[in-house]
Amino acid sequence: MSTSTLLEHPHHLEAERAVLGAILVDNAQMDAALAAHLTADQFFRDVHQRVFRALVTLAERRSALDFVTVRIELERTGDLEEVGPAYLASLIDGGMRGVNLPHYLA
């Protein structure tokens, strides 16, 4: 099973944000994350775990992965208050693109 070295360390919160942002900007990156066997438990920060779990749930439903759908899913699970809509939006605003995702999943 492949693990993500950057996501295993708490000092790489930027990598966690980059992965989530890349998926939210380019939904095809979710396939790459899942192919690399990325799991929510590999994220150090609890809110990132919650967002990734929401993304996995939505991907399993073949739903779009964007701010609106993730926000609704987090609300459904009772996690929206913990994550915060503003923080969720900041993941997208970071300008991360999927081109760097393999680096974070290596």
Side-chain angles (χ1 to χ4, degrees):
M1 179 184 239
S2 173
T3 60
S4 176
T5 56
L6 287 177
L7 292 181
E8 290 176 348
H9 303 287
H11 302 292
H12 296 290
L13 297 178
E14 298 86 7
E16 293 185 10
R17 288 178 51 85
V19 168
L20 297 172
I23 293 168
L24 288 166
V25 169
D26 178 4
N27 290 185
Q29 298 308 312
M30 187 64 174
D31 294 334
L34 295 175
H37 305 287
L38 184 63
T39 66
D41 294 335
Q42 288 175 283
F43 289 87
F44 177 76
R45 190 162 183 215
D46 178 67
V47 296
H48 295 164
Q49 291 177 9
R50 293 170 193 248
V51 170
F52 191 75
R53 282 189 192 105
L55 288 166
V56 169
T57 298
L58 291 167
E60 288 172 349
R61 292 184 197 148
R62 298 196 181 278
S63 174
L65 308 175
D66 59 29
F67 173 79
V68 173
T69 59
V70 173
R71 185 176 191 269
I72 290 168
E73 180 60 20
L74 290 170
E75 191 170 49
R76 186 190 70 77
T77 60
D79 291 326
L80 182 60
E81 186 174 325
E82 183 67 30
V83 173
Y87 187 76
L88 181 60
S90 78
L91 296 173
I92 300 166
D93 293 340
M96 291 295 171
R97 298 293 182 259
V99 69
N100 293 330
L101 190 67
H103 171 75
Y104 299 115
L105 298 176

